[in-house]
Amino acid sequence: DSEELRINPKLCEYNNVLCLEYEDLIYANRSQLETMVQKLTAIFQDRFGYFFGENSSLLGSESQMNAIQRLEEMDKAVASLSSQPASVIDKKFGVHGGHRSNSNLLEVKPLAANEGDPDFKHMAEDVKKSFHVFAATPPHTASTVLTNWIMGIFEPEEYYSFMVNTKGRPVLQNGVEIPISKTIVTKTHYLDLLALYKRFRKEFDEVFFVVSNRGTDPETRIDYDFCEYNNVLCIEYDDLVYSNNIELELMVQKLTRMFQDRFEYFFGANSPLLDMEKQKNAVQRLKEMDEVTRSMADQTFDHVDQKFGVHGGHRNRDDSESKSALAPQVPEEA
């Protein structure tokens, strides 16, 4: 690289200096733009956390959405000035005329989903393949938080569905048995993942398993060998705990990145199914779940909310309020 395009690397070692590479600032569509903003914000947070704190509200999802909006407006200004001479400058964004002809910056064009497709719910928009996600977890591992995060991404307004660990493995939603094709996300404590895969793979182009593990007790962990399969994502309990809205937003971002990275072979590198809007839906669903959890704190455990799958009396199950008061635990089915 030409020395004219880089600063003295010693300056990058100062705590109040953040150095970025050009490649980290390139994007070609809305999904890549959102991924870029998330990545840059995380880098900023990590570098300057000594000043802003570990979970600054200044760097939350709302601020990131503002950054995305501004960059989209900037791209429109770039496009409108493309035929103007370089001496013409947009005062708000600082972009020059003729930029498109002498730069690698690509205009951002929003991606639209084909919601008219009857199979839209179960299809990855960029590859047009059907899929299903099992939240297949041991009990007492924050499985309800896990399930509602995934549902917030893919079907934020739906009632949760649960595969009962009895003969036939029926799937229940709002107290009624349904075919698995009617939902995208199914929670279960049945942990024979190979059996589930063999049974349901023929109905979808791919079947995914997202598993929560906790501690070292074999009763709260699945066999590690399962975690090595490409279509299995294993998440630790500590990654599912939060105590305020900022931690909640950061948790959703982290989990969604893990999901994207693990299943990139199917969804692609920058799937619109996992964009910022979907993550906002997940945050909202988890907030609503928390409200229901608190409203049921004085009810008995046999009371169950059919939308979120939380039980009554959660706050007192272990004689203490969990860090989030937000990770309802579900007993293993018979």
Side-chain angles (χ1 to χ4, degrees):
D1 290 344
S2 170
E3 292 184 1
E4 295 181 356
L5 301 179
R6 305 190 72 85
I7 68 167
N8 186 330
K10 291 185 178 180
L11 294 175
C12 298
E13 297 177 3
Y14 286 89
N15 289 342
N16 62 334
V17 176
L18 172 61
C19 294
L20 301 171
E21 292 298 320
Y22 172 81
E23 289 75 17
D24 292 328
L25 298 166
I26 299 296
Y27 54 94
N29 54 48
R30 171 66 186 243
S31 289
Q32 290 181 13
L33 170 59
E34 293 180 352
T35 299
M36 181 195 77
V37 168
Q38 290 181 9
K39 179 180 179 181
L40 296 181
T41 305
I43 294 173
F44 187 98
Q45 173 74 69
D46 291 343
R47 186 62 171 174
F48 303 134
Y50 73 91
F51 180 84
F52 291 98
E54 185 176 351
N55 297 298
S56 174
S57 59
L58 290 173
L59 304 171
S61 60
E62 194 66 33
S63 298
Q64 293 180 45
M65 290 298 293
N66 291 339
I68 291 167
Q69 180 64 35
R70 183 177 175 91
L71 287 167
E72 287 184 320
E73 293 174 1
M74 181 197 75
D75 292 335
K76 291 177 181 178
V78 170
S80 69
L81 292 173
S82 61
S83 60
Q84 300 290 324
S87 59
V88 177
I89 304 175
D90 179 273
K91 299 298 184 181
K92 181 175 182 179
F93 301 104
V95 296
H96 290 252
H99 184 66
R100 186 169 56 182
S101 62
N102 58 18
S103 170
N104 291 326
L105 181 66
L106 299 178
E107 182 180 359
V108 174
K109 297 181 179 179
L111 300 177
N114 179 19
E115 298 191 22
D117 188 330
D119 293 323
F120 168 74
K121 281 184 61 178
H122 295 270
M123 298 181 74
E125 296 164 34
D126 41 359
V127 293
K128 297 301 180 188
K129 293 181 180 179
S130 62
F131 64 95
H132 194 82
V133 183
F134 280 101
T137 70
H140 312 309
T141 59
S143 57
T144 308
V145 172
L146 179 83
T147 303
N148 281 286
W149 154 59
I150 306 171
M151 290 190 67
I153 295 290
F154 293 114
E155 45 185 359
E157 300 302 324
E158 292 294 326
Y159 285 79
Y160 98 117
S161 61
F162 186 85
M163 176 179 285
V164 183
N165 193 5
T166 58
K167 184 178 180 180
R169 315 293 177 207
V171 176
L172 303 180
Q173 185 179 60
N174 201 17
V176 178
E177 184 172 350
I178 62 168
I180 200 167
S181 60
K182 293 296 183 181
T183 184
I184 300 176
V185 182
T186 300
K187 176 180 175 179
T188 185
H189 293 316
Y190 179 65
L191 300 179
D192 189 341
L193 305 192
L194 289 177
L196 289 174
Y197 185 80
K198 290 176 181 178
R199 176 176 174 182
F200 294 106
R201 175 63 175 80
K202 60 186 177 182
E203 298 187 34
F204 306 98
D205 290 305
E206 186 58 289
V207 175
F208 300 102
F209 300 92
V210 183
V211 181
S212 54
N213 288 315
R214 183 177 186 177
T216 59
D217 188 335
E219 296 297 318
T220 57
R221 304 192 69 84
I222 68 163
D223 189 326
Y224 179 77
D225 289 344
F226 282 125
C227 298
E228 297 183 346
Y229 284 89
N230 289 339
N231 63 331
V232 178
L233 170 62
C234 292
I235 295 173
E236 290 298 318
Y237 172 84
D238 290 344
D239 290 327
L240 295 164
V241 177
Y242 53 96
S243 60
N244 56 53
N245 286 338
I246 298 302
E247 290 184 3
L248 169 59
E249 292 176 2
L250 292 173
M251 181 196 77
V252 167
Q253 290 179 21
K254 178 180 179 179
L255 295 178
T256 307
R257 283 198 300 271
M258 293 169 67
F259 189 100
Q260 172 75 69
D261 292 345
R262 186 62 171 173
F263 304 137
E264 180 180 341
Y265 73 91
F266 184 87
F267 291 99
N270 296 291
S271 174
L273 284 174
L274 302 169
D275 63 16
M276 286 287 290
E277 196 63 34
K278 304 300 190 300
Q279 293 181 47
K280 286 182 66 177
N281 292 341
V283 169
Q284 182 60 35
R285 182 178 176 95
L286 286 165
K287 287 181 179 178
E288 293 173 4
M289 180 200 77
D290 295 338
E291 287 295 327
V292 171
T293 301
R294 285 188 284 270
S295 71
M296 297 177 63
D298 297 324
Q299 297 185 26
T300 58
F301 185 74
D302 57 350
H303 285 82
V304 183
D305 179 85
Q306 295 298 326
K307 181 173 183 179
F308 302 105
V310 299
H311 289 253
H314 171 69
R315 184 178 58 187
N316 301 315
R317 289 205 67 212
D318 60 356
D319 297 323
S320 66
E321 196 152 353
S322 66
K323 181 181 179 184
S324 60
L326 315 171
Q329 300 167 354
V330 180
E332 186 171 11
E333 297 295 315

